[in-house]
Amino acid sequence: MEFGRIIISETAMNSGNLQDVIHSNISVINLMREEGVNDDLIHEDAIMSYYLDYYTSQYTEGNFAQFVHNSGWDKELNELIEEGLALIGAEKHLELFQQQSKKVKLMSSVKLNKFLKGKLEGVNPTRDLLNNDTFFEIEENLITLNATFLKTHPDFEVLSVDDMFATLEEFVGHEIKRA
C-alpha cells in the first residue's frame, strides 16, 4: 500500500519561508525511511521534491561538478530530476541540466569513474569542465517552484506535528519514537 499523501507541518506552512515547506517534506520522507518504508511506497511527487532539493543544494554549494560527484551520477536520480524540473515548470533549469548532462555523457567511463572516485578539491580539470555558473543567473527560483508545486499538489496536507506522527504511525503500523 502506497502512502498517498504529501504531508507538511503547520509550523513549516506558517513560517513564511518556502524552504521550510520543502524541509518538512524531507523530514517526513527521512522519518518514513528510518521506519523501514521503501521509497516505492512513498508518494512519488514527495520523493521527486526531495531530490530536486538535493540537486538544488548540491549545485548551490559546489556547482554541477559537486552534484555529479556526490550523487555518483545515478541514471534513475537524473531521470527523476529531469522529470521534476519539467513538472515544476523550471524550463531554463531543465535546459541547463540536459546541457550539463551531455558533458558527462561525452566523457569516457574511465574519466568519469576517476572523477567520481577522486577528490573534488584541488587541481581538477574535470570538475572545472563540469561547472557552469549559468545556474546562478537563471531567474527561475527552484525553491519557490518546488515549494509551490508541493503546496498546490492535490495530495498535499497540512497537519500538526502530533497529527503527522499519528498518520505516519498508522501507516507503518507501530509507534514512532520521537527525537
Side-chain angles (χ1 to χ4, degrees):
M1 186 183 84
E2 186 189 301
F3 189 73
R5 295 187 269 180
I6 298 172
I7 297 177
I8 305 296
S9 73
E10 284 175 345
T11 319
M13 192 65 184
N14 298 332
S15 81
N17 180 350
L18 291 173
Q19 187 68 57
D20 290 345
V21 172
I22 297 167
H23 281 156
S24 185
N25 176 56
I26 289 169
S27 297
V28 170
I29 291 171
N30 287 339
L31 185 63
M32 290 174 87
R33 285 175 170 170
E34 283 165 22
E35 294 302 317
V37 177
N38 189 308
D39 278 10
D40 296 344
L41 300 177
I42 301 172
H43 198 295
E44 64 179 356
D45 287 342
I47 294 279
M48 190 205 65
S49 168
Y50 180 101
Y51 285 117
L52 277 179
D53 182 71
Y54 173 75
Y55 169 70
T56 305
S57 59
Q58 289 295 310
Y59 209 125
T60 305
E61 290 165 18
N63 216 303
F64 192 72
Q66 180 175 310
F67 167 72
V68 173
H69 190 268
N70 291 351
S71 71
W73 196 245
D74 181 85
K75 188 178 185 288
E76 269 184 55
L77 173 65
N78 296 341
E79 285 170 5
L80 202 61
I81 289 167
E82 267 194 62
E83 279 173 38
L85 290 170
L87 202 57
I88 67 169
E91 291 164 23
K92 288 183 173 73
H93 276 289
L94 175 59
E95 209 175 292
L96 175 66
F97 185 79
Q98 290 168 334
Q99 182 190 324
Q100 290 297 102
S101 296
K102 274 189 192 129
K103 285 184 190 176
V104 182
K105 287 172 189 156
L106 291 172
M107 233 180 257
S108 71
S109 56
V110 171
K111 189 174 185 177
L112 178 60
N113 284 330
K114 190 179 171 197
F115 173 72
L116 294 175
K117 288 186 172 92
K119 278 192 173 141
L120 200 53
E121 305 77 32
V123 176
N124 192 330
T126 305
R127 176 201 61 214
D128 299 342
L129 170 81
L130 290 176
N131 282 344
N132 185 337
D133 289 340
T134 306
F135 179 91
F136 304 102
E137 295 155 20
I138 295 175
E139 286 184 12
E140 297 166 338
N141 184 318
L142 289 178
I143 293 167
T144 304
L145 291 170
N146 192 349
T148 303
F149 171 76
L150 289 175
K151 286 165 53 175
T152 56
H153 199 284
D155 301 327
F156 180 74
E157 218 171 304
V158 179
L159 297 173
S160 69
V161 173
D162 286 339
D163 288 346
M164 284 172 82
F165 271 96
T167 304
L168 294 172
E169 286 170 345
E170 190 182 314
F171 181 74
V172 297
H174 60 258
E175 199 176 317
I176 298 172
K177 208 172 173 184
R178 299 186 191 201

